[in-house]
């Protein structure tokens, strides 16, 4: 009996030291970032090459696309990269960009929301009627309009998540219904002019003219990024998980500072820091935190990966789906208010034209996958920058409207093809 006990207690120790190479390899396989960071610059270059071979392109294609757009249009017209033109681009993009942020949430589920453009028009009509025709305070009209957009989105989510109707069909019906609702709400006149000095009017016309405002914002963003990164790394080190080395964090902070202060300098060469851009950035940061740093965000990504696996893991699939469509509706409403502010009115053309396609295209061009499970709200910023930059560049060259549509379509098709090819590459590399 004593012999048996000895053999059973010593066997694990023997196996533990029998193959130290395999044990070391197992540790590396758990988190290869440790080895990469220990190797310094060479490690990061090697990791970059590996990701490229595996099809993990991230935002690289769209960033390169933006650089090419800037070079081409600046060579054609020196006014393209002027402070005024860049400021106009970053203000104009906010309306469509807000709608696109909501679309990102839906695409992460692998679904689509075709109603967002009509919902944006309906929300602008609601706000205009309440503020102008009914004399309600504008701030309250804005709150009700955004809440109405979220409620509309939740209703779409109910039909999809609870009753099992396809999201495509539900939101297509919503597109038609809320377009009709907007026309009915605006009445026979079809246009309600907004006070250009009011809350809605100033969403896109107000600028922080004090040059300190832009620089202070740049300093705050840079400082907050460094502090949160540094403290996050300290927490990770304290619990023994991989973290970025200090020089890595400093390098990222310096790069962010260069971009932030360059943007601040550019804005101060024209009218100053636009309120619309500040609001957009705040929502981008907030939604990125929601998706990447909270349990809710992990549930959204999990549903995009596998609905059945998420259900077995205890995730309330129905509630998450409804909430995602509510978020989409709420951001559509906010986008509609910014679009109404741009023209200082709510009219029958709101939510029509190419708005829906541009909002969806911005999310996809920015890097959000149509197949679900991959994307960030920052993709909406990158994508809408591409679309609006192309529009402004072609406008400077007096290119006809049909050509604008064809070029935008070409960019969208290229992005979708890249997405499909990278997914196949990842499956081949065993990383999909």
């Amino acid at each position: 009996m004593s012999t048996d006990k000895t053999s059973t207690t010593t066997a694990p120790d023997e196996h533990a030291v029998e193959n130290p190479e395999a044990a070391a390899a197992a540790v590396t396989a758990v988190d290869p970032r440790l080895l990469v960071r220990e190797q310094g610059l060479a490690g990061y270059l090697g990791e970059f090459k590996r990701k490229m071979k595996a099809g993990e392109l991230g935002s690289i294609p769209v960033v390169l696309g933006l650089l090419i757009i800037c070079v081409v249009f600046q060579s054609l017209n020196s006014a393209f990269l002027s402070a005024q033109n860049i400021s106009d681009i970053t203000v104009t993009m906010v309306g469509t960009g807000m709608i696109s942020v909501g679309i990102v949430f839906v695409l992460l589920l692998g679904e689509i929301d075709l109603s967002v453009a009509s919902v944006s028009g309906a929300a602008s009509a609601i706000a205009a009627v309440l503020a102008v025709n009914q004399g309600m305070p504008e701030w309250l009209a804005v709150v009700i309009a955004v809440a109405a957009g979220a409620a509309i989105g939740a209703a779409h989510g109910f039909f999809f998540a609870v009753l099992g109707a396809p999201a495509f069909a539900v939101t297509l019906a919503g597109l038609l219904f809320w377009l009709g609702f907007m026309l009915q709400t605006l009445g026979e006149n079809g246009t309600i002019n907004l006070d250009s000095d009011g809350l809605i009017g100033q969403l896109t016309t107000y600028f922080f003219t004090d040059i300190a405002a832009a620089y202070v914002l740049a300093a705050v963003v840079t400082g907050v990024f460094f502090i949160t990164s540094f403290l996050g790394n300290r927490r990770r080190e304290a619990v023994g998980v991989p973290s970025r080395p200090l020089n890595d964090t400093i390098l990222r902070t310096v790069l962010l500072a260069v971009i932030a202060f360059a943007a601040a300098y550019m804005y101060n060469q024209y009218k100053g820091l636009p309120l619309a851009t500040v609001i957009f950035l705040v929502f981008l940061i907030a939604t990125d935190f929601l998706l990447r740093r909270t349990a809710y965000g992990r549930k959204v990504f999990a549903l995009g990966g596998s609905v059945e696996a998420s259900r077995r893991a205890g995730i309330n699939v129905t509630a998450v789906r409804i909430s995602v469509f509510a978020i989409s509706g709420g951001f559509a409403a906010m986008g509609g208010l910014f679009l109404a502010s741009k023209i200082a009115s709510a009219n029958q053309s709101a939510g029509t034209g190419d708005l829906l396609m541009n909002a969806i295209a911005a999310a996809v061009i920015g890097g959000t996958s149509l197949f679900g499970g991959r994307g960030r709200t920052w993709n909406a910023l990158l994508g809408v920058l591409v679309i609006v930059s192309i529009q402004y560049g072609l406008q400077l060259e007096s290119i006809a409207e049909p050509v604008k549509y064809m070029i935008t379509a070409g960019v969208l098709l290229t992005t979708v093809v890249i997405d499909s090819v990278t997914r196949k590459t990842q499956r081949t590399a065993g990383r999909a």
Side-chain angles (χ1 to χ4, degrees):
M1 292 294 293
S2 59
T3 306
D4 291 340
K5 288 181 181 180
T6 304
S7 63
T8 54
T9 54
T10 57
D13 293 334
E14 290 171 0
H15 285 296
V17 296
E18 205 171 77
N19 195 350
E21 293 83 3
V27 173
T28 304
V30 171
D31 201 327
R33 293 175 298 178
L34 285 171
L35 179 60
V36 169
R37 290 168 185 168
E38 286 175 0
Q39 292 175 344
L41 181 59
Y44 281 105
L45 289 175
E47 180 71 359
F48 176 78
K49 293 178 181 178
R50 183 197 63 77
K51 287 184 176 182
M52 292 302 98
K53 291 180 179 179
E56 300 175 37
L57 301 180
S59 299
I60 293 177
V62 68
V63 172
L64 291 177
L66 271 173
L67 291 176
I68 293 172
I69 289 170
C70 291
V71 170
V72 170
F73 285 121
Q74 179 67 14
S75 64
L76 295 174
N77 193 316
S78 59
F80 181 77
L81 291 180
S82 66
Q84 177 179 349
N85 196 56
I86 294 177
S87 180
D88 289 344
I89 288 174
T90 56
V91 171
T92 300
M93 73 178 187
V94 174
T96 305
M98 281 288 195
I99 301 174
S100 186
V101 169
I103 288 289
V104 168
F105 278 82
V106 178
L107 289 178
L108 286 175
L109 296 184
E111 302 295 339
I112 194 67
D113 188 349
L114 300 178
S115 68
V116 287
S118 294
V119 172
S120 72
S124 66
I126 291 172
V129 167
L130 292 177
V132 178
N133 294 358
Q134 303 299 324
M136 182 179 291
E138 276 199 72
W139 70 266
L140 183 56
V142 168
V143 171
I144 292 175
V146 174
I152 291 170
H156 294 163
F158 174 82
F159 282 106
F160 165 59
V162 178
L163 302 183
F168 178 90
V170 170
T171 57
L172 179 60
L175 182 154
L176 299 173
F177 182 87
W178 299 114
L179 176 60
F181 174 86
M182 178 193 71
L183 298 176
Q184 182 69 27
T185 302
L186 291 174
E188 295 181 359
N189 187 32
T191 300
I192 299 177
N193 293 322
L194 299 167
D195 181 6
S196 58
D197 295 325
L199 174 61
I200 299 176
Q202 290 195 339
L203 286 175
T204 56
T205 60
Y206 185 85
F207 291 78
F208 298 95
T209 54
D210 190 337
I211 61 173
Y215 291 120
V216 168
L217 179 62
V220 168
V221 169
T222 304
V224 170
F225 175 82
F226 176 78
I227 293 172
T228 54
S229 299
F230 179 77
L231 294 179
N233 291 334
R234 292 289 297 272
R235 287 194 298 269
R236 294 173 70 86
E237 290 174 358
V239 296
V241 297
S243 61
R244 297 187 184 279
L246 181 60
N247 58 355
D248 189 342
T249 301
I250 293 175
L251 176 60
R252 289 169 177 264
T253 303
V254 170
L255 291 175
L256 176 61
V258 170
I259 295 173
F261 280 93
Y265 174 80
M266 180 275 301
Y267 283 129
N268 284 331
Q269 301 307 302
Y270 184 48
K271 293 182 178 180
L273 181 65
L275 173 63
T277 305
V278 174
I279 294 174
F280 189 35
L281 289 176
V282 168
F283 275 103
L284 284 173
I285 294 171
T287 51
D288 183 69
F289 179 86
L290 176 66
L291 283 176
R292 298 199 305 121
R293 302 294 184 183
T294 66
Y296 174 79
R298 289 190 287 273
K299 292 175 183 178
V300 173
F301 280 106
L303 259 66
S306 173
V307 175
E308 186 57 34
S310 301
R311 185 177 286 110
R312 293 182 179 182
I315 295 175
N316 189 333
V317 174
T318 299
V320 174
R321 281 175 163 175
I322 293 175
S323 67
V324 164
F325 277 89
I327 289 172
S328 179
F331 273 96
M334 287 189 282
L337 294 175
F338 277 95
L339 293 171
S341 172
K342 189 67 177 173
I343 59 175
S345 69
N347 59 38
Q348 293 179 339
S349 65
T352 60
D354 58 357
L355 177 60
L356 173 62
M357 291 300 101
N358 283 343
I360 296 175
V364 177
I365 290 172
T368 303
S369 176
L370 283 169
F371 303 98
R374 191 178 79 242
R376 296 178 62 180
T377 50
W378 290 99
N379 297 148
L381 170 62
L382 293 173
V384 78
L385 266 176
V386 169
I387 291 175
V388 178
S389 295
I390 290 174
Q391 292 174 344
Y392 267 71
L394 295 176
Q395 184 176 327
L396 287 174
E397 296 302 308
S398 301
I399 303 296
E401 195 71 22
V403 178
K404 296 180 183 179
Y405 287 125
M406 290 187 285
I407 292 178
T408 304
V411 173
L412 176 58
L413 178 60
T414 302
T415 305
V416 173
V417 169
I418 291 175
D419 184 29
S420 300
V421 171
T422 54
R423 283 176 64 86
K424 291 181 180 178
T425 304
Q426 290 172 2
R427 282 197 295 269
T428 302
R431 301 186 64 84

